[in-house]
């Protein structure tokens, strides 16, 4: 038991870093420098790269490719996504809160995510773009698979699990075309478009980080989610959750996506 929330958060912080992160931090304090950080990225649009660099890498990582902005353009013609790189899709609490319980899920958000997938795949420029749908919660992953099955994009196998339908498994050049999963299953992956389902929409006081935001407050996992995208990131969630000073402190990446990024020429809200 802890006397207050601050004490609890300090204790829990110790469990939020990976072993690599702990080693890197400790070696960085050594008398003789024993760490090095790569400072160029070639995967993603510079707007996404700069966003991630400012949040997680002290602005040290820059785009390393000539004309990277042009080469990482998705070309979609959909209203709200055309010429955009980072978009927040607001599914407000009036459409439904998250489902209570250990496994967090939000049906209205799952439906919205899959409608975005359908729109992108139906766009004339989206037929060969790869799409990764990421969430932090297994229950939400399963809900989105259920919606994908209704659309003919996934199938339930005898074991009860789901698999992506053959029609959308691969792009014409052999890349993985469509994946739905929790953030851990996306380690080492990359997709042209990433859609992040945040799930959390509740009435908890936002200063109680664990109850209000849960896994979303883990910066390393948000970093993985955002950095899987090459051309477009769409964050789907309840904007009210990510718009106040508590969000700015505890989930800064989502706060930026929901507020400041939407005002940039490459950002938007739908």
């Amino acid at each position: 038991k802890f006397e207050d929330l601050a004490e609890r958060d300090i204790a829990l912080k110790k469990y939020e870093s990976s072993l690599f992160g702990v080693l890197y931090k400790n070696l960085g304090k050594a008398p003789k420098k024993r760490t090095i950080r790569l400072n160029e990225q070639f995967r993603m649009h510079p707007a996404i790269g700069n966003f991630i660099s400012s949040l997680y890498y002290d602005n040290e990582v820059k785009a390393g490719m000539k004309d990277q902005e042009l080469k990482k353009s998705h070309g979609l013609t959909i209203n709200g996504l055309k010429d955009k790189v980072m978009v927040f899709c607001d599914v407000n609490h009036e459409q439904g809160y998250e489902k209570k319980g250990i496994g967090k899920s939000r049906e209205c958000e799952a439906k919205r995510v899959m409608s975005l997938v359908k729109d992108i795949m139906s766009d004339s420029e989206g037929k060969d773009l790869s799409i990764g749908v990421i969430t932090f919660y297994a229950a939400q992953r399963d809900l989105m698979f259920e919606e994908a099955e209704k659309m003919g994009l996934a199938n339930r196998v005898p074991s009860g699990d789901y698999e992506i339908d053959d029609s959308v498994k691969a792009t014409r050049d052999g890349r993985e075309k469509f994946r739905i999963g929790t953030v851990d299953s996306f380690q080492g992956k990359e997709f042209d478009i990433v859609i992040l389902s945040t799930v959390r929409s509740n009435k908890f006081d936002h200063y109680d980080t664990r109850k209000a935001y849960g896994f979303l407050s883990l910066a390393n996992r948000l970093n993985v989610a955002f950095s899987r995208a090459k051309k477009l990131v769409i964050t789907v969630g309840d904007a009210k959750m990510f718009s106040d000073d508590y969000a700015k402190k505890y989930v800064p990446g989502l706060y930026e996506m929901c507020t400041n990024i939407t005002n940039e020429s490459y950002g938007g809200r739908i």
Side-chain angles (χ1 to χ4, degrees), residues 130-141:
S130 59
I131 305 171
V133 176
I134 303 177
T135 184
F136 287 76
Y137 299 96
Q140 184 72 356
R141 174 203 60 200

Side-chain angles (χ1 to χ4, degrees), residues 74-126:
H74 54 71
L76 292 171
T77 62
I78 303 165
N79 287 338
L81 301 183
K82 182 180 179 181
D83 299 326
K84 302 298 181 182
V85 184
M86 305 180 75
V87 173
F88 191 92
C89 176
D90 184 19
V91 182
N92 63 53
H93 64 274
E94 294 178 354
Q95 298 181 54
Y97 287 109
E98 67 190 58
K99 185 179 179 180
K100 295 180 180 180
I102 296 175
K104 297 289 187 286
S105 63
R106 191 173 181 226
E107 185 176 2
C108 59
E109 196 171 298
K111 291 180 181 294
R112 185 69 178 102
V113 166
M114 294 313 303
S115 73
L116 285 168
V117 170
K118 181 179 180 181
D119 289 345
I120 292 168
M121 288 186 173
S122 300
D123 188 88
S124 60
E125 299 299 321

Side-chain angles (χ1 to χ4, degrees), residues 35-257:
T35 61
I36 187 171
R37 176 182 289 171
L38 301 179
N39 58 13
E40 289 184 321
Q41 65 85 9
F42 299 87
R43 170 183 291 168
M44 63 198 77
H45 191 286
I48 304 173
N50 292 341
F51 169 73
I52 292 168
S53 181
S54 67
L55 280 171
Y56 308 114
Y57 301 110
D58 303 318
N59 283 310
E60 293 180 6
V61 181
K62 307 295 182 183
M65 189 189 307
K66 185 179 180 181
D67 299 326
Q68 194 158 334
E69 183 174 339
L70 181 63
K71 292 176 180 178
K72 300 299 180 178
S73 174
H74 54 71
L76 292 171
T77 62
I78 303 165
N79 287 338
L81 301 183
K82 182 180 179 181
D83 299 326
K84 302 298 181 182
V85 184
M86 305 180 75
V87 173
F88 191 92
C89 176
D90 184 19
V91 182
N92 63 53
H93 64 274
E94 294 178 354
Q95 298 181 54
Y97 287 109
E98 67 190 58
K99 185 179 179 180
K100 295 180 180 180
I102 296 175
K104 297 289 187 286
S105 63
R106 191 173 181 226
E107 185 176 2
C108 59
E109 196 171 298
K111 291 180 181 294
R112 185 69 178 102
V113 166
M114 294 313 303
S115 73
L116 285 168
V117 170
K118 181 179 180 181
D119 289 345
I120 292 168
M121 288 186 173
S122 300
D123 188 88
S124 60
E125 299 299 321
K127 295 185 182 301
D128 215 33
L129 291 173
S130 59
I131 305 171
V133 176
I134 303 177
T135 184
F136 287 76
Y137 299 96
Q140 184 72 356
R141 174 203 60 200
D142 294 343
L143 263 185
M144 292 190 293
F145 262 120
E146 288 178 18
E147 293 299 319
E149 184 181 27
K150 295 174 186 176
M151 298 164 56
L153 302 178
N155 305 295
R156 176 166 272 183
V157 297
S159 66
D161 295 328
Y162 286 94
E163 63 178 21
I164 299 299
D165 189 76
D166 288 342
S167 63
V168 290
K169 269 189 176 179
T171 60
R172 285 180 293 180
D173 57 2
R175 294 174 294 125
E176 184 177 11
K177 181 180 176 70
F178 185 44
R179 173 181 285 251
I180 301 171
T182 56
V183 65
D184 293 332
S185 71
F186 278 81
Q187 287 276 7
K189 302 289 184 180
E190 62 179 26
F191 291 84
D192 294 317
I193 299 169
V194 161
I195 304 175
L196 173 61
S197 176
T198 58
V199 179
R200 305 314 298 263
S201 177
N202 53 61
K203 298 179 180 179
F204 293 118
D205 290 325
H206 291 184
Y207 67 77
D208 191 344
T209 317
R210 298 291 160 178
K211 287 185 177 180
Y213 299 114
F215 290 135
L216 298 184
S217 62
L218 301 179
N220 57 344
R221 288 189 170 187
L222 268 180
N223 183 8
V224 171
F226 288 137
S227 61
R228 300 310 92 194
K230 297 195 290 183
K231 300 179 179 181
L232 173 64
V233 175
I234 306 173
T235 301
V236 182
D238 181 356
K240 189 176 180 180
M241 294 291 297
F242 310 116
S243 304
D244 61 18
D245 288 340
Y246 290 112
K248 186 176 182 179
K249 179 179 180 180
Y250 295 120
V251 285
L254 294 170
Y255 172 84
E256 288 295 318
M257 279 290 298

